[in-house]
Amino acid sequence: MSKRKSILIIGPTAVGKSTLLTQALKDFPDELREIITYTTRSPRAGESEGDPYHFVTEEKFRELLAKNFFIEHAVVHGLLYGTPRDQVDLTHQANKTVIMDIDVQGAKKFREAYPEAVTVFILPPSIDVLRQRFRARGATDEADLERRIESAHRELAQAEDFDYRIVNNDFQSAYAELRKIIEDLLKNQ
Ligand code: 5GP
């Protein structure tokens, strides 16, 4: 029986996780499946239901939580996020590899449920670069920005707890590292 594989892309907001993940999905369309997680935050400009989240009310989230719908859930920047168990299990049953973007606390809890998960922590070249990226996104006010920087510090302090670390200075070289990790994982099924 093949192992039930998962790749978790971890790291602070705006570090470039979703760009790396999107490229990986393009390069390994037959092997990887992205998990669409649930959140109580509102969609930002350009986002809609299912892209990049299932956007639900807090009431709905709590209802799902009570039904044991989530593998893990976490409060990130004061909002709820959760990983649906059904999507992960269906992906594994289809013999595909899960890939998802998740925060540090969520990755640790996910790994308790699926210990074979491979965890890849994406680091910014510096906190200043991260701050610039937050600003460039234009999606956050100053208080939100400071909250995110604080969370980033907390998350970066835990980078060593994961299997791999990639510094996202230049997309091409960061992606080359991620690609190698994915190739090795897919080879060792
Ligand atoms: P944003 O709201 O900026 O898209 O994401 C905020 C953070 O939530 C990101 O660091 C992302 O990795 C994390 N996140 C997204 N989905 C989940 C999830 O299902 N569980 C957990 N624990 N974190 C998540």
Side-chain angles (χ1 to χ4, degrees):
M1 200 174 91
S2 67
K3 283 211 200 104
R4 297 175 163 192
K5 296 181 297 299
S6 305
I7 301 166
L8 307 185
I9 310 291
I10 314 149
T13 323
V15 80
K17 287 174 292 184
S18 64
T19 317
L20 289 164
L21 198 148
T22 303
Q23 187 61 47
L25 284 165
K26 272 191 199 139
D27 287 355
F28 300 94
D30 298 332
E31 293 92 349
L32 302 181
R33 289 282 179 281
E34 184 179 17
I35 302 299
I36 309 295
T37 62
Y38 285 65
T39 184
T40 59
R41 92 155 158 72
S42 311
R44 295 187 188 126
E47 295 181 341
S48 58
E49 168 48 29
D51 175 25
Y53 292 105
H54 291 299
F55 294 98
V56 292
T57 60
E58 183 158 346
E59 191 189 357
K60 177 72 185 170
F61 194 100
R62 298 215 175 268
E63 193 186 306
L64 291 168
L65 192 59
K67 287 184 189 151
N68 196 25
F69 181 78
F70 298 115
I71 292 168
E72 62 76 37
H73 76 285
V75 181
V76 184
H77 316 130
L79 296 161
L80 290 160
Y81 292 80
T83 307
R85 194 181 302 281
D86 59 349
Q87 281 186 51
V88 171
D89 290 343
L90 285 172
T91 302
H92 287 151
Q93 279 160 26
N95 249 326
K96 307 286 181 195
T97 297
V98 161
I99 188 162
M100 63 179 291
D101 169 346
I102 191 166
D103 84 317
V104 167
Q105 341 162 44
K108 288 185 175 175
K109 284 189 232 154
F110 187 105
R111 203 165 48 178
E112 281 168 25
Y114 299 84
E116 66 293 335
V118 168
T119 51
V120 184
F121 195 101
I122 314 296
L123 296 112
S126 70
I127 286 282
D128 270 354
V129 168
L130 200 60
R131 198 182 287 274
Q132 283 162 25
R133 289 187 194 162
F134 284 142
R135 290 223 164 87
R137 276 190 171 190
T140 52
D141 60 34
E142 282 301 307
D144 187 33
L145 188 121
E146 284 317 311
R147 252 198 319 273
R148 280 164 193 258
I149 292 286
E150 238 181 80
S151 309
H153 275 295
R154 259 199 314 276
E155 295 199 323
L156 290 168
Q158 298 175 68
E160 296 293 321
D161 298 345
F162 299 100
D163 299 323
Y164 299 95
R165 279 156 296 283
I166 298 176
V167 177
N168 190 10
N169 192 8
D170 155 69
F171 173 78
Q172 292 305 336
S173 57
Y175 181 67
E177 286 182 57
L178 178 62
R179 195 188 156 97
K180 174 85 173 57
I181 293 166
I182 296 172
E183 279 168 352
D184 287 350
L185 177 77
L186 295 175
K187 244 187 270 157
N188 296 321
Q189 8 196 348

